[in-house]
Amino acid sequence: MTELLLDAAGRRRSPATLPGFHAGRPQRNKDLRYPADPPSVEEIVAVMRTAGDGPHGRRLRALIVVLWRAVLRIHEALALNEPDLNHRRGSLLVRRGKGGRRREVGMAGPLLVLGDSAGRCAVAPALPDRKRSLRLPRPPR
């Protein structure tokens, strides 16, 4: 390349920023696979314990529980509303999931609905004690 590439401010410009520079070359990360590394149950419970008891902590715990037990994507969990909870069936209605599809997902354990004086609602689990196992009790019938 005999010509000098300059940007609008007069600085030298890298040839890699021009279209066609990487044409015909394979990607550097082609055929590399990275295994899934989900957090362990102990790590999830530790995060929930450190979230605190304030309104933000309850909301964070509720979000973690919904993501974990219903195996939701983050945008699906953030789009949930209170009418999407079906306490009788123990399920959540995801109105717009992956690919724009509607689906109903079951929860693996009981949920508590926590309300405050402002009428806001949060979904949260009962945290297990450290001495007990990490399983939550079955809901009453």
Side-chain angles (χ1 to χ4, degrees), residues 95-109:
R95 296 183 187 274
R96 186 171 165 84
K98 186 175 181 181
R101 294 195 174 94
R102 183 183 184 111
R103 66 186 173 118
E104 190 170 3
V105 292
M107 296 293 287

Side-chain angles (χ1 to χ4, degrees), residues 51-66 78 114 120-125:
D53 290 329
H56 298 295
R58 286 195 303 259
R59 184 172 48 204
L60 177 63
R61 284 198 310 267
L63 181 64
I64 291 171
V65 167
V66 168
L78 292 175
L114 306 173
R120 291 177 295 225
C121 182
V123 180

Side-chain angles (χ1 to χ4, degrees), residues 13-79:
R13 188 169 170 188
S14 170
T17 62
L18 297 176
F21 182 78
H22 295 288
R25 298 181 190 173
Q27 298 173 356
R28 293 181 64 195
N29 60 351
K30 183 174 176 146
D31 296 330
L32 292 180
R33 298 277 184 202
Y34 297 100
D37 187 22
S40 67
V41 174
E42 290 81 15
E43 291 172 332
I44 293 172
V45 171
V47 169
M48 290 173 60
R49 286 189 191 280
T50 59
D53 290 329
H56 298 295
R58 286 195 303 259
R59 184 172 48 204
L60 177 63
R61 284 198 310 267
L63 181 64
I64 291 171
V65 167
V66 168
L67 288 170
W68 182 24
R69 290 191 184 164
V71 193
L72 294 181
R73 296 164 186 89
I74 187 69
H75 69 277
E76 294 172 349
L78 292 175

Side-chain angles (χ1 to χ4, degrees), residues 3-15 17-18:
E3 62 190 55
L4 189 63
L5 300 171
L6 301 176
D7 63 2
R11 294 180 299 247
R12 287 189 58 205
R13 188 169 170 188
S14 170
T17 62
L18 297 176

